[in-house]
Each structure stands twice: as structure tokens, then as C-alpha cells.
Amino acid sequence: MTDKPTVRYLRGFALDPSFSTRLDTMQVNEIVYSVRWEDLAKGPVGEYLEIIDYDPASDCFYDPVDMNSIEVLSQNGLAPSEGNPKFHQQFVYTIAMKTIEHFEHSLGRKIIWSPRTTIDDNRQYKTEFVDRLRIYPHALRDANAYYDPEKKAILFGYFEAASNSNDYNLPGGVIFTCLSPDIVAHEVTHAILDSIHPRFIENTNPDVAAFHEAFADIVALLQRFTITELVEHQIAQTRGDLGQFSFLGELATQFGNALQNSRGALRGAIGSFNKKTGKWEKYNPDPKRYKTVHEPHDRGAILVAVIFDAFIRMYNVNTADLMRIASNA
């Protein structure tokens, strides 16, 4: 009996697909991920995840990818492609598994999905074990993606970029949220957090939903720092100053740019583009925001900004000597 491989190598995007069309990022945007090996059925369907590629808007099922086929195994996965549904299935599986691996490494235990709660004919609550989280790469024709705690599933949407779309999006081109590693990691984190503390799905006060959104954003952004080539590239671009604009602190850039009258990433950790000036500006701390902002994503952004401000401060302290040597100051 031959030993099984320990990892599966799969190609994908480090950032969003649009970064492959930019001269300054095309060399670092397509990378090879290392995912823990597991026996997979077509879908793919594994121990943790079940990818079901049904498109209700088109009323069709896309053929599931066979991760064990020679076509896939021989070339480290299918080539990154916005037009190939099988690559979409491969990529959403890749990022979801990487997110699960990071959580299991930190927690020191396996991830067990939150149980499904139902009510029987006698009005009694029953819990049902959920062995796999279901993921639908093309679940809705909308600029949205979300984790459904009742279905124990993640639904990804797709939509046409606005006619006045900025940056490198083709106006009217199709944007797939399942191809954004930030969005995939964000939604998988929602599912994992629900499994760790199911009560956090209940919005008992404004901080609960905000924490859910902030925590998911923080995980998605920090996962970028596990990609060495991307980190080295962005440090070189900013000359070591992470307090400046860099893609390391921007979330779902292609998605944000594709929205009507939008400019810049969907959310930023340390700053954002000013729509009036068209320039990126660093956030100014505002103690009043905690009392005045209640929308979960905007309120969660306060915590994201705090975490990344602390992260940059630690980075500056630990690299001060290197910066002094490099600048001969």
C-alpha cells in the first residue's frame, strides 16, 4: 500500500481576479496554495465541506470538479479562470480549507459545525449534527454573499460590474464573489464563529453583530500575511511603511470597485479612498463613532481599525533597527 500525499497543491488568486490584469500585481496574484490532503468526492466533497454548484437564476447545475483527476492533480489544480465554474468550485474549497486549517492550528482542535436546530410536531426543539458545511458558489445573482445559520450553508452571489466601474473591472463584466479570497474567508469565519459560540448569531445588542463582522474581516485580512510573496511585494511597494496605502489592508477590492458609484475596496483596515478627492486617506481616530455608528459592518470597522493600528505599531517597533540600517539614518 502506498502512502497518501500529505498536502494537495491548488492554484488560485492571492487577491481578487482583477489584480491579474495589473502590471504591478500580476506576478504575485496567481499563487499555489498548499491544502491538507483529504479524500474528496466530486464537488468537491470532503470531511468538512460540500460544494454544491447549483445556479437558481439560470436553473442549472454546473458539472462538479473531480479533484482526483489527472487534469487537476498533474498541474497543481485547474488554472485560475473567471469563466470556468470548475475552477470556482476548486478555489472556494481551497480558501475555505485554508481558513479552517488556520483556526484548527490556533484552537488546537478540530472544527465541528454548529448543529442544526429544528422543531418537531410536538413543538420540541431538536438538534441535528451537521457533518459538512454546504457552499454554493453561484447561489444568487446579486452583489452579495452570506452565511445562512439555519441552512448551515454559505451562499455566494455574482453580478455585473457597474457601467461606471472603476479600477481594472470591465464595465458590465461579471464579478464572482466566490473568487475573492477575502469574501470566502470572511463568510467561512462567520460559520466557524457560529460553531464556537452559537449565541453570537443573536443580535442582543449592537456589539454582537458588529463583532461578528469585525472578527470575520480581521481573519480575512490577516490571512493575506500568510502569503510570503504578496507581503514581500507590498513591503517593497511601500518602502516598509505599512501605514501607507497597500493592498494588505484592503478588503474585497474588485467587489468594491464594481459597485455603482464606488471607489476603492469594500472596506479598509487603516484608510479608504475619499470619493470627493479620489485619493486614499488614512483614518483619523474618532471616539464619537462608537456612540453614533450602529450598522454592523461600520461599527465592526472600529474594532478592525484598532487591531490593525496595534499591529502596525508592533511592526514599526520590531523593524525600527532594520529601517535605520536600510536608510542609513
Side-chain angles (χ1 to χ4, degrees):
M1 180 181 292
T2 58
D3 294 332
K4 291 183 179 179
T6 57
V7 296
R8 191 185 296 266
Y9 295 105
L10 298 169
R11 289 187 283 175
F13 298 112
L15 298 167
D16 297 326
S18 63
F19 286 91
S20 292
T21 64
R22 304 172 60 129
L23 290 177
D24 59 333
T25 55
M26 61 185 301
Q27 291 184 331
V28 296
N29 192 44
E30 296 186 7
I31 64 171
V32 177
Y33 288 92
S34 172
V35 179
R36 185 173 58 211
W37 182 273
E38 62 171 340
D39 292 330
L40 292 173
K42 289 184 178 181
V45 178
E47 180 182 358
Y48 297 88
L49 305 170
E50 182 177 5
I51 315 300
I52 303 174
D53 207 353
Y54 175 62
D55 184 346
S58 302
D59 191 23
C60 72
F61 278 96
Y62 295 108
D63 290 338
V65 63
D66 183 0
M67 303 290 280
N68 299 315
S69 68
I70 295 178
E71 176 190 14
V72 175
L73 290 176
S74 64
Q75 56 180 341
N76 291 337
L78 298 174
S81 169
E82 294 182 76
N84 184 357
K86 288 187 176 182
F87 171 73
H88 297 193
Q89 300 158 15
Q90 170 188 297
F91 186 67
V92 77
Y93 167 81
T94 301
I95 301 303
M97 284 303 298
K98 291 301 295 183
T99 307
I100 291 170
E101 287 177 26
H102 290 148
F103 268 94
E104 289 191 340
H105 177 76
S106 299
L107 293 172
R109 64 170 178 81
K110 294 179 69 66
I111 293 297
I112 300 176
W113 303 116
S114 176
R116 182 180 292 105
T117 303
T118 58
I119 303 177
D120 61 20
D121 295 336
N122 298 320
R123 307 298 297 174
Q124 297 295 317
Y125 285 94
K126 299 180 64 177
T127 57
E128 177 185 348
F129 176 73
V130 176
D131 54 348
R132 297 184 184 94
L133 179 72
R134 291 186 171 182
I135 296 181
Y136 297 84
H138 308 104
L140 55 153
R141 195 171 292 178
D142 190 20
N144 196 12
Y146 62 93
Y147 164 64
D148 189 321
E150 294 185 1
K151 295 180 179 179
K152 305 303 175 186
I154 299 176
L155 292 82
F156 291 96
Y158 62 95
F159 64 101
E160 291 185 2
S163 58
N164 63 345
S165 177
N166 291 294
D167 203 62
Y168 286 76
N169 288 320
L170 175 67
V174 180
I175 307 298
F176 296 95
T177 60
C178 67
L179 293 184
S180 169
D182 299 332
I183 296 177
V184 176
H186 178 101
E187 300 305 335
V188 173
T189 300
H190 277 311
I192 294 175
L193 185 55
D194 184 34
S195 73
I196 295 173
H197 200 310
R199 290 292 185 181
F200 278 169
I201 211 71
E202 302 174 8
N203 297 337
T204 53
N205 65 72
D207 285 340
V208 177
F211 174 76
H212 236 287
E213 297 299 337
F215 189 71
D217 278 356
I218 290 168
V219 170
L221 288 166
L222 287 180
Q223 283 201 161
R224 291 187 171 182
F225 289 87
T226 66
I227 304 174
T228 303
E229 302 92 329
L230 177 62
V231 174
E232 291 176 346
H233 178 271
Q234 288 299 289
I235 288 178
Q237 290 289 103
T238 61
R239 300 179 64 85
D241 184 3
L242 294 185
Q244 298 180 16
F245 168 78
S246 78
F247 296 122
L248 294 174
E250 301 287 292
L251 187 81
T253 302
Q254 183 180 22
F255 181 96
N257 279 325
L259 299 177
Q260 190 74 29
N261 298 320
S262 185
R263 179 66 176 90
L266 181 63
R267 288 188 290 278
I270 60 174
S272 64
F273 278 92
N274 187 312
K275 292 183 179 179
K276 294 182 179 179
T277 63
K279 296 181 179 180
W280 185 85
E281 297 177 358
K282 192 174 181 179
Y283 293 138
N284 291 318
D286 183 3
K288 297 180 181 178
R289 284 183 59 82
Y290 184 71
K291 295 182 178 180
T292 59
V293 175
H294 300 288
E295 196 280 327
H297 296 88
D298 294 338
R299 191 174 180 86
I302 299 173
L303 177 59
V304 176
V306 170
I307 294 296
F308 269 79
D309 181 68
F311 176 80
I312 291 174
R313 288 171 184 263
M314 290 190 294
Y315 165 82
N316 289 337
V317 169
N318 285 287
T319 60
D321 290 342
L322 296 175
M323 296 295 180
R324 187 163 52 250
I325 294 171
S327 61
N328 197 28

